[in-house]
């Protein structure tokens, strides 16, 4: 686990804890590490889980598919971020989403029941872990509300601009890299891929933005 300590220390979940405290609490929570190949499923829709997952390396997509196989990417989870925490605290509730490895990915699973149960080993900083988890849940809720704002836009162009503006604000820079390729971005915004690519080309030709693969540069031009 030592090799992943920089990721753990950078994670909001372990904020305010030193290396020794993190190792102690991982033991307390019976942490289990698993490795997944690209496109492998970590969880399938309908599964029941009793742990939250923390990405140590790689990334995962949280996705939803309907009866006909239409795919919607809910969000991308990168290193140091967690997933399935809400379902982990409700072990009787079936997953309404699937979790898929975006690349070769290492995941650490933490028993959610033990997160809420103090113990003699880690009780002095167990409350810190719970505080961090609540902060993390609040931040994720804000991100989901942000996505709803993107999807509520009427046109593909408006959805693209809403998303890219939010990504720019997130990193406080006009230049940024998104965690999606073109098809994945279309799935995330719930739009047709060809229509989206056409709009991106128009925005570039209008001098509103430029891009190379998944890296975008926004320019301070009129977008109307």
């Amino acid at each position: 686990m030592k090799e992943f300590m920089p990721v753990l220390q950078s994670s909001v979940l372990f904020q305010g804890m030193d290396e020794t405290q993190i190792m102690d609490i991982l033991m307390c929570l019976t942490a289990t590490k698993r490795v997944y190949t690209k496109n492998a499923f970590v969880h399938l829709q309908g599964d029941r889980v009793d742990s939250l997952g923390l990405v140590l390396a790689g990334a995962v997509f949280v996705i939803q598919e309907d009866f006909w196989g239409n795919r919607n990417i809910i969000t991308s989870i990168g290193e140091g971020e967690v997933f399935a925490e809400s379902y982990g605290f409700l072990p009787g509730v079936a997953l309404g989403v699937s979790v898929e490895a975006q690349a070769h990915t290492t995941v650490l699973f933490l028993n959610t029941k033990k997160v809420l149960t103090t113990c003699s080993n880690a009780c002095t900083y167990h409350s810190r872990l719970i505080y961090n988890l609540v902060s993390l849940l609040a931040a994720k809720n804000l991100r989901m509300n942000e996505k709803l704002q993107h999807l509520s836009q009427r046109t593909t162009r408006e959805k693209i601009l809403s998303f890219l503006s939010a990504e720019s604000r997130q990193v406080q820079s006009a230049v940024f890299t998104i965690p999606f390729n073109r098809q994945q971005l279309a799935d995330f915004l719930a739009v047709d891929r060809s229509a989206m690519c056409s709009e991106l080309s128009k925005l570039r030709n209008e001098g509103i933005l430029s891009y190379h693969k998944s890296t975008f540069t926004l320019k301070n031009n009129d977008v109307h």
Side-chain angles (χ1 to χ4, degrees):
M1 196 61 66
K2 294 282 188 180
E3 62 182 299
F4 298 111
M5 188 53 62
V7 175
L8 294 170
Q9 289 180 314
S10 68
S11 174
V12 173
L13 191 60
F14 298 109
Q15 193 171 28
M17 300 183 196
D18 61 30
E19 182 174 338
T20 300
Q21 292 171 332
I22 292 173
M23 292 301 294
D24 285 346
I25 209 160
L26 290 182
M27 186 177 299
C28 165
L29 300 179
T30 58
T32 305
K33 184 178 67 175
R34 294 178 187 170
V35 178
Y36 298 87
T37 57
K38 182 178 180 179
N39 298 328
F41 282 99
V42 180
H43 295 310
L44 286 171
Q45 189 170 334
D47 287 350
R48 287 172 170 78
V49 300
D50 59 4
S51 301
L52 63 85
L54 187 150
V55 177
L56 293 174
V60 301
F61 284 140
V62 178
I63 64 174
Q64 196 169 47
E65 292 183 314
D66 64 18
F67 181 83
W68 296 274
N70 297 309
R71 177 185 174 101
N72 177 25
I73 295 178
I74 307 299
T75 189
S76 173
I77 307 294
E79 291 182 2
E81 298 179 324
V82 305
F83 60 90
E85 66 283 354
S86 296
Y87 289 100
F89 288 111
L90 298 168
V93 177
L95 283 171
V97 295
S98 296
V99 180
E100 180 185 65
Q102 183 180 349
H104 191 79
T105 300
T106 303
V107 176
L108 187 70
F109 293 96
L110 307 174
N111 185 284
T112 48
K113 183 178 180 180
K114 292 189 176 182
V115 169
L116 299 179
T117 306
T118 58
C119 69
S120 58
N121 291 329
C123 60
T124 55
Y125 35 87
H126 216 115
S127 59
R128 180 69 193 187
L129 178 72
I130 295 172
Y131 175 86
N132 289 346
L133 182 60
V134 172
S135 298
L136 188 151
L137 289 170
K140 291 186 76 171
N141 184 56
L142 291 176
R143 290 289 284 177
M144 290 306 298
N145 287 337
E146 191 174 75
K147 180 179 179 179
L148 289 176
Q149 291 177 16
H150 307 330
L151 297 183
S152 68
Q153 302 300 312
R154 294 186 177 183
T155 67
T156 297
R157 178 190 179 98
E158 290 171 342
K159 290 180 180 181
I160 293 170
L161 292 174
S162 177
F163 169 72
L164 294 178
S165 293
E167 292 296 296
S168 175
R169 287 194 301 270
Q170 181 76 10
V171 298
Q172 298 183 355
S173 173
V175 182
F176 53 89
T177 301
I178 66 173
F180 306 122
N181 61 30
R182 294 294 182 269
Q183 183 59 59
Q184 292 161 353
L185 179 58
D187 291 341
F188 180 78
L189 295 176
V191 297
D192 178 75
R193 181 181 184 277
S194 59
M196 183 196 71
C197 290
S198 177
E199 287 297 334
L200 283 173
S201 294
K202 290 178 183 177
L203 290 166
R204 180 177 58 188
N205 293 338
E206 293 170 20
I208 294 167
L209 54 80
S210 62
Y211 54 82
H212 176 68
K213 295 184 178 179
S214 294
T215 298
F216 287 79
T217 301
L218 302 188
K219 301 178 181 180
N220 191 22
N221 289 347
D222 186 5
V223 299
H224 299 293

